[in-house]
Amino acid sequence: MHFKDGKKNKNKNVKKKVGIKVGKKVGKKVSKGGKKVVKQVGKIILLGDKEEVVEVPSEEPGKKKFIKKIIKCITIINPTTGEKKVVEELVEEVPFEVKEETEVKEEVVEVPSEEPGKKKFIKKIIKCVTRINPTTGEKEVVEEIVDEVPVKPININRMSRKELKIFIREQPLRLIETIQFEADTKIIPLINEYEEKVRTQPRSELKIMFRTIMEFLAQKIKLLDRIESKDKEIICKLKCLFTDLQLLERRTEEI
């Protein structure tokens, strides 16, 4: 073979630089008998990229941080033994945002009172964060107490019709909170007591207790039904309380 300069290629055994090609036999240059030859070391199969989400230390206390690793996977097949060897190469690391759903709930609990014989309650404002752990795939719920405020209930049972009408119109959110407070501190404990007594006493002896519970729930549902508002927070809390009271009615009837 002749080249443009008229000289022959003196070493016909010299190969050009070997690169990795998918599905091709590859090797490395070695010296043998003064000549350079390519010794076959295996066959490359590129499997493609894979992604892996891992948790890493976070700078913010109480908050989890994740990154996504982009990994290239290559399989090398030994031509002699047929043995496969998988080699992984980290290509890139990128931040990974975990989708979260945040909900704020309120919980009224009894706390020790400084005055003997008098009950004291506080309202806990709790932030609930729900997320799917990308590593385990499990749902995680994290609750954080945002605030605690003392509860000073209003006795709506002592209001006149006119006072109650004004109260419902001007302070619907306060009405909802008051009814919720009464349900948590009075009616639910009464339902629990009724449930315990039904196990040991005839229902005929518990008619007054049953009637008290059902009348309370019916009256409070009627009061809530009088609330008219377009405020999203009020509507949301109103629906939740409606549902809770109806469930208490059903629970009492099924005892």
Side-chain angles (χ1 to χ4, degrees):
M1 182 183 291
H2 294 277
F3 293 84
K4 290 182 180 180
D5 57 4
K7 295 180 180 180
K8 292 184 179 180
N9 187 352
K10 294 181 180 180
N11 193 344
K12 295 181 182 180
N13 293 312
V14 175
K15 299 280 186 178
K16 291 186 178 182
K17 186 178 179 181
V18 177
I20 295 177
K21 294 184 179 180
V22 178
K24 299 291 184 180
K25 293 179 181 179
V26 296
K28 58 183 179 180
K29 295 179 181 179
V30 296
S31 295
K32 187 176 181 181
K35 297 180 181 180
K36 290 183 178 181
V37 297
V38 174
K39 182 179 179 181
Q40 185 179 326
V41 295
K43 184 179 180 181
I44 292 291
I45 299 177
L46 184 61
L47 298 180
D49 294 344
K50 76 172 185 179
E51 297 178 353
E52 185 178 309
V53 178
V54 295
E55 185 177 349
V56 294
S58 174
E59 298 80 15
E60 299 180 43
K63 188 174 182 180
K64 292 188 176 183
K65 182 180 179 182
F66 297 88
I67 61 169
K68 181 167 67 174
K69 292 183 176 183
I70 313 298
I71 303 169
K72 182 185 290 183
C73 299
I74 300 171
T75 297
I76 301 176
I77 303 175
N78 188 307
T80 307
T81 64
E83 184 182 352
K84 294 182 181 180
K85 181 182 179 182
V86 179
V87 179
E88 294 186 351
E89 176 188 348
L90 180 62
V91 179
E92 188 181 9
E93 288 183 351
V94 294
F96 184 82
E97 292 294 329
V98 179
K99 292 183 179 180
E100 296 181 346
E101 293 181 4
T102 304
E103 178 187 5
V104 177
K105 70 176 184 179
E106 298 176 355
E107 185 178 313
V108 177
V109 295
E110 185 177 354
V111 293
S113 175
E114 299 80 15
E115 301 179 41
K118 190 175 181 180
K119 291 186 176 182
K120 182 180 178 181
F121 297 88
I122 61 167
K123 180 170 66 175
K124 292 183 177 182
I125 313 298
I126 304 169
K127 183 172 74 172
C128 303
V129 179
T130 304
R131 67 171 71 97
I132 302 296
N133 188 311
T135 306
T136 63
E138 296 179 355
K139 183 181 286 188
E140 297 177 347
V141 179
V142 180
E143 293 189 353
E144 176 188 355
I145 297 176
V146 180
D147 197 10
E148 291 183 352
V149 294
V151 177
K152 296 180 180 180
I154 298 173
N155 193 343
I156 56 177
N157 300 314
R158 293 185 179 181
M159 289 184 180
S160 65
R161 289 186 178 181
K162 186 177 180 180
E163 288 173 334
L164 189 57
K165 184 178 181 181
I166 294 171
F167 182 67
I168 293 172
R169 184 177 69 247
E170 295 182 354
Q171 301 186 62
L173 191 58
R174 192 75 186 276
L175 174 66
I176 293 170
E177 291 175 347
T178 301
I179 293 175
Q180 181 70 67
F181 176 79
E182 288 187 0
D184 291 340
T185 60
K186 295 179 182 179
I187 208 65
I188 292 178
L190 190 59
I191 293 173
N192 293 337
E193 183 183 350
Y194 174 72
E195 189 172 21
E196 286 293 324
K197 288 186 175 182
V198 164
R199 296 173 184 172
T200 57
Q201 298 180 34
R203 291 181 183 270
S204 57
E205 296 178 8
L206 303 172
K207 286 183 179 180
I208 295 176
M209 185 179 287
F210 176 80
R211 192 181 304 118
T212 301
I213 295 169
M214 299 304 289
E215 284 179 358
F216 172 90
L217 294 171
Q219 289 171 0
K220 302 314 175 190
I221 289 173
K222 283 182 180 179
L223 282 178
L224 293 175
D225 200 38
R226 292 170 61 181
I227 294 176
E228 295 181 2
S229 176
K230 294 182 180 179
D231 185 279
K232 289 183 179 180
E233 181 184 3
I234 294 174
I235 293 171
C236 181
K237 289 187 175 183
L238 183 61
K239 286 181 179 179
C240 289
L241 187 53
F242 256 127
T243 303
D244 289 344
L245 296 181
Q246 288 169 346
L247 288 174
L248 289 175
E249 276 187 323
R250 191 181 306 165
R251 176 189 164 190
T252 307
E253 289 172 344
E254 292 175 354
I255 292 175

